[in-house]
Amino acid sequence: MTTKNLTGMLAKKMPRETGTARTKGETLFQLFFALIQWPWLLKSLYGGNKAEKNAVLERINLEQDALPHLGSWKADTYLLHRIVDEIEVRQPKNVVELGSGVTSLVIAKALSLHGGGHLYSYDQYEPFVEQMGIWLAEHHLSASFSHAPLNFRDQAWPGLGSCG
């Protein structure tokens, strides 16, 4: 979940919807995963340099200040170019996105340039859904944003399936 505003290093606090605490196994899994993933995480937080960002913006005809600083949980320039590549080639009528943000703006703009398809985006953070619609409207774009709370917890999966 990424808006045009700066985001912090840690996830936003979410209201606890199920009241289910994280198990000891889930905590250990999370720590183990963090230990082996930190090099890739650091690279993803970078986001790309200014020239790479400007190349994406120029490619889809957006102003140089249309995107926030990339990285810090936002999509990087490599991913944004790949998204535009796929939309150029496939010209989809519908795109479904789970987790909105920078990609939503890029997808909506690429769709408007290549076939006029429509974006359906779902996000777990309700206030963010409204902000995304406003952000796209600033660029004369639209998409269907919906709140999709994460509240189902599958006991067989070693991850916390609820918000929090």
Side-chain angles (χ1 to χ4, degrees):
M1 59 189 177
T2 305
T3 65
K4 65 181 181 178
N5 304 316
L6 291 177
T7 52
M9 292 289 290
L10 300 176
K12 295 181 184 223
K13 294 242 184 256
M14 301 291 288
R16 192 167 284 289
E17 295 183 17
T18 63
T20 307
R22 183 176 288 140
T23 67
K24 190 182 290 187
E26 289 169 337
T27 301
L28 289 173
F29 177 83
Q30 184 179 26
L31 289 172
F32 176 74
F33 189 77
L35 287 173
I36 62 171
Q37 290 295 322
W38 71 267
W40 294 277
L41 174 62
L42 289 178
K43 185 178 185 313
S44 74
L45 293 175
Y46 168 63
N49 64 37
K50 191 170 186 166
E52 292 166 343
K53 179 179 164 182
N54 289 340
V56 170
L57 291 166
E58 185 176 311
R59 183 175 179 189
I60 57 174
N61 300 322
L62 282 174
E63 308 81 38
Q64 296 299 306
D65 65 347
L67 295 180
H69 168 73
L70 299 175
S72 180
W73 312 116
K74 297 174 184 76
D76 64 8
T77 54
Y78 177 82
L79 175 63
L80 297 177
H81 274 293
R82 299 302 67 81
I83 289 170
V84 177
D85 289 345
E86 288 298 315
I87 291 173
E88 280 180 346
V89 170
R90 298 177 189 273
Q91 297 188 4
K93 296 293 179 211
N94 297 297
V95 173
V96 176
E97 174 185 45
L98 304 177
S100 51
V102 168
T103 53
S104 307
L105 179 65
V106 170
I107 291 168
K109 184 63 176 183
L111 286 170
S112 75
L113 296 172
H114 303 289
H118 189 75
L119 170 63
Y120 297 88
S121 184
Y122 299 87
D123 202 286
Q124 69 179 3
Y125 190 60
E126 191 167 22
F128 191 68
V129 171
E130 183 179 332
Q131 292 174 8
M132 287 305 305
I134 294 167
W135 188 22
L136 265 63
E138 290 174 5
H139 298 281
H140 309 289
L141 298 167
S142 65
S144 298
F145 292 99
S146 298
H147 178 230
L150 301 177
N151 58 14
F152 173 75
R153 183 171 182 180
D154 182 353
Q155 295 297 330
W157 186 74
L160 189 59
S162 63
C163 298

